[in-house]
Amino acid sequence: ETGREAPVVLLPSRRSIFDYFAYSFVFYTNGLIPPHVAVREQRRLNVFKPFIRRSGAFFVRPRIADNLMYERTLRQYVRKLVKEGYWLEFFIEGSRSRSGKLQTPRDEMLSMVVGAVATGAAPDAWLVPCSVTYERIVEGTLFDRERMGAESGVQRVSVGHILNRARDIGSRFGKLYMQFGEPLSLRSYLESQGVSIPVESDAAVPQIVVRRLGY
């Protein structure tokens, strides 16, 4: 019902690499619009990138702010998606949580969605906090190795590792539980923070407003 009024932006906490597929699968099987998912660029996935793109994902560099032209291009792309009513999904923490606890939110993608609504590209967008909790995650052994001092254990999940675990995720890894929080109207939030919509062409939403929203 929320998605009838404005595009939905899922803001999941991130626990496992399977988070990418869980939301799209549940949405698709329940007749909802599968979201466009922001996926971090990884060389190990080069062979599968065409398939991943066709499933609704778009790749984002780890350090967006390092290249001004790239940041502006990505911002315009996100603006176009929001303007045309596509549903979005991005992990507000950026990387996966090793401990299961929430990490500090990141501002880059969130500020792009905020900018799209603030400048009038879309009348509103609904921000939906959500999470998938696993009885046992696929990367559990890698997380354990990292805690014991292995270098970059979290980032070295190979495609073969995923496929080998995917075939028995139902039996060996137990169940997963998906939860959604109350949708938040982005327009209402901005107005409550004193932001006049649409903002002037040479103005921007204060960064403190975006950061407060992230938290």
Side-chain angles (χ1 to χ4, degrees):
E1 292 300 318
T2 299
R4 296 178 188 272
E5 303 174 14
V8 169
V9 181
L10 298 179
L11 301 173
S13 58
R14 192 177 175 196
R15 299 292 180 268
S16 169
I17 196 168
F18 276 102
D19 290 0
Y20 287 129
F21 314 108
Y23 293 101
S24 296
F25 175 79
V26 169
F27 276 43
Y28 177 77
T29 54
N30 286 276
L32 298 173
I33 302 173
H36 279 58
V37 187
V39 179
R40 176 177 292 186
E41 187 83 35
Q42 294 188 44
R43 292 181 180 179
R44 289 175 175 268
L45 298 177
N46 283 344
V47 177
F48 296 91
K49 280 183 179 179
F51 171 77
I52 296 175
R53 283 196 178 97
R54 286 178 174 82
S55 68
F58 60 96
F59 290 93
V60 178
R61 294 178 183 176
R63 295 179 178 84
I64 298 174
D66 289 353
N67 188 317
L68 182 59
M69 181 62 71
Y70 177 78
E71 191 273 340
R72 289 182 175 178
T73 302
L74 180 61
R75 182 175 295 273
Q76 288 301 316
Y77 179 68
V78 172
R79 175 186 171 88
K80 176 179 175 64
L81 292 176
V82 174
K83 181 178 181 179
E84 296 186 0
Y86 289 102
W87 292 13
L88 295 177
E89 174 190 336
F90 60 88
F91 299 94
I92 194 166
E93 299 164 279
S95 61
R96 280 166 287 175
S97 171
R98 280 87 161 164
S99 65
K101 296 181 179 180
L102 292 175
Q103 303 180 88
T104 303
R106 299 181 63 174
D107 302 336
E108 299 97 335
M109 292 292 297
L110 183 60
S111 68
M112 295 178 188
V113 175
V114 170
V117 173
T119 55
D124 200 357
W126 290 95
L127 306 182
V128 182
C130 49
S131 67
V132 176
T133 304
Y134 301 83
E135 290 185 346
R136 180 183 175 190
I137 59 174
V138 172
E139 303 95 318
T141 55
L142 297 178
F143 288 171
D144 290 341
R145 293 175 192 170
E146 188 183 55
R147 294 191 193 100
M148 295 175 67
E151 182 180 357
S152 301
V154 171
Q155 302 299 331
R156 294 184 177 179
V157 179
S158 65
V159 174
H161 179 81
I162 297 171
L163 295 178
N164 287 335
R165 299 299 183 271
R167 62 189 177 188
D168 54 12
I169 188 171
S171 57
R172 286 186 55 192
F173 290 87
K175 297 179 180 180
L176 57 85
Y177 304 88
M178 186 172 291
Q179 294 180 307
F180 296 91
E182 288 294 324
L184 171 66
S185 167
L186 181 51
R187 185 183 186 93
S188 297
Y189 170 78
L190 292 176
E191 291 175 345
S192 71
Q193 299 297 312
V195 178
S196 299
I197 301 174
V199 297
E200 299 294 334
S201 58
D202 58 345
V205 177
Q207 192 63 29
I208 185 63
V209 173
V210 178
R211 184 156 299 176
R212 188 179 297 123
L213 175 61
Y215 277 99

